[in-house]
């Protein structure tokens, strides 16, 4: 089945920008205007964070944005309502939903996937979804709704697991640049990080790669793109949205600063 994620990588082989923001932040109804602004500014993929009270992989910036979004009244039901009709104004840009397993299970995985697909989502990132559980319980549900799973690979991920992830997905591989959570300074020595990226590249995997964690500006984006098809930016955009009156305008300025 066709999928916008695959189409995006077919259309543009290098320097793809996947940009993350938290649904319902900075204000509850900023979600759709931000999607439109990010797409218009040149983002190749848009990753929408589903706020959760205990986001294990996220650093303090995204955690804080989740706290604000939840206080604003954001939840999965509200998000799916907001996204209705988004494909009329953003027909081609892939949209991924990123979050954690607990709220999805409470919503019901089949219900969640049905609603996500109906709302225009193309892929799902759940960092705490165990691979074996995905295969045993959820793979058929994801396929039925044409939602592509995205799994994270870290410097510690064993080669056998990397190959299994590559077999199980049909979107892209999310390479975590180093230890720690999102938004932090990268603590890996440059040579160690480069060796990790080169080791993944030498595996000749079938899916393209995007590098995330610690990417926050034009320089770090361009550096990451040397080792993969593109990169993921999240915390830096959230910082750029903090306290602004016009979130879509601020988002456009931020994307322009990365892609300029």
């Amino acid at each position: 089945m066709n999928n916008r994620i695959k189409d995006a990588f077919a259309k543009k082989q290098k320097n793809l920008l996947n940009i993350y923001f938290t649904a319902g932040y900075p204000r509850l109804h900023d979600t759709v205007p931000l999607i439109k602004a990010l797409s218009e500014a040149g983002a190749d993929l848009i990753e929408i964070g589903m706020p959760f009270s205990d986001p294990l992989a996220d650093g303090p910036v995204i955690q804080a944005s989740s706290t604000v979004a939840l206080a604003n009244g954001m939840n999965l039901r509200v998000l799916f309502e907001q996204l209705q009709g988004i494909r009329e104004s953003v027909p081609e840009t892939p949209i991924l939903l990123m979050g954690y397993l607990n709220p999805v299970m409470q919503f019901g995985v089949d219900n969640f996937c049905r609603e996500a697909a109906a709302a225009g989502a193309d892929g799902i990132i759940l960092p705490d979804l165990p691979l074996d559980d995905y295969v045993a319980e959820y793979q058929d549900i994801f396929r039925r709704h044409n939602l592509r799973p995205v799994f994270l690979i870290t410097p510690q991920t064993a080669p056998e697991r990397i190959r299994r992830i590559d077999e199980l997905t049909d979107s892209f591989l999310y390479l975590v640049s180093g230890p720690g959570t999102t938004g932090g300074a990268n603590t890996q020595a440059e040579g160690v990080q480069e060796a990790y990226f080169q080791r993944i590249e030498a595996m000749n995997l079938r899916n393209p790669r995007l590098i995330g964690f610690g990417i926050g500006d034009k320089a770090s984006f361009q550096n990451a793109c040397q080792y993969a098809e593109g990169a993921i930016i999240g915390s830096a955009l959230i910082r750029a949205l903090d306290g602004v009156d016009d979130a879509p305008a601020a988002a456009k300025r931020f994307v322009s600063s990365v892609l300029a």
Side-chain angles (χ1 to χ4, degrees):
M1 296 174 74
N2 285 342
N3 184 274
R4 293 180 192 90
I5 300 172
K6 297 292 286 184
D7 292 344
F9 283 96
K11 187 166 61 177
K12 184 178 175 183
Q13 280 81 44
K14 287 295 289 181
N15 302 319
L16 283 94
L17 173 62
N18 177 3
I19 196 139
Y20 168 101
F21 74 94
T22 304
Y25 178 87
R27 286 169 289 273
L28 180 62
H29 296 289
D30 281 333
T31 309
V32 169
L34 279 171
I35 294 170
K36 294 177 181 177
L38 292 167
S39 179
E40 289 168 5
D44 299 292
L45 304 94
I46 295 172
E47 190 179 322
I48 304 173
M50 302 176 287
F52 179 49
S53 57
D54 190 22
L56 299 175
D58 294 313
V61 173
I62 292 178
Q63 284 187 30
S65 72
S66 281
T67 301
V68 172
L70 291 169
N72 287 343
M74 179 53 68
N75 57 44
L76 287 178
R77 175 60 56 203
V78 171
L79 175 58
F80 290 142
E81 288 172 359
Q82 289 184 349
L83 293 178
Q84 292 303 315
I86 189 64
R87 287 305 176 188
E88 294 169 16
S89 50
V90 186
E92 295 182 7
T93 306
I95 292 175
L96 297 105
L97 301 180
M98 188 276 184
Y100 295 88
L101 192 55
N102 187 293
V104 172
M105 291 187 71
Q106 287 185 351
F107 198 86
V109 177
D110 195 31
N111 288 337
F112 171 82
C113 288
R114 184 186 306 108
E115 296 268 0
D122 303 291
I124 308 291
I125 306 173
L126 299 171
D128 60 343
L129 170 59
L131 211 53
D132 289 341
D133 288 5
Y134 169 72
V135 173
E137 299 181 45
Y138 308 129
Q139 186 173 29
D140 289 344
I141 299 173
F142 275 56
R143 284 177 172 170
R144 188 160 66 246
H145 297 289
N146 195 25
L147 290 170
R148 308 295 165 99
V150 176
F151 298 104
L152 277 61
I153 292 170
T154 74
Q156 289 74 41
T157 306
E160 316 83 71
R161 180 178 170 84
I162 293 172
R163 292 206 180 277
R164 189 160 182 240
I165 288 171
D166 191 43
E167 289 169 6
L168 287 173
T169 192
D170 194 25
S171 52
F172 64 88
L173 305 174
Y174 190 136
L175 300 193
V176 176
S177 62
T181 55
T182 59
N186 214 309
T187 54
Q188 286 227 117
E190 190 173 330
V192 173
Q193 190 181 67
E194 186 176 339
Y196 156 53
F197 295 147
Q198 289 175 343
R199 175 167 57 85
I200 303 292
E201 186 171 13
M203 293 180 74
N204 292 317
L205 302 168
R206 67 188 190 94
N207 284 287
R209 292 149 291 139
L210 296 179
I211 295 172
F213 287 47
I215 317 296
D217 55 19
K218 181 177 180 177
S220 53
F221 174 72
Q222 290 180 337
N223 183 61
C225 289
Q226 295 179 61
Y227 303 103
E229 281 76 11
I232 301 164
I233 296 179
S235 296
L237 172 63
I238 300 297
R239 286 191 198 97
L241 298 179
D242 184 22
V244 300
D245 292 328
D246 188 337
K252 281 188 173 182
R253 285 194 300 272
F254 178 81
V255 172
S256 296
S257 73
V258 173
L259 298 178

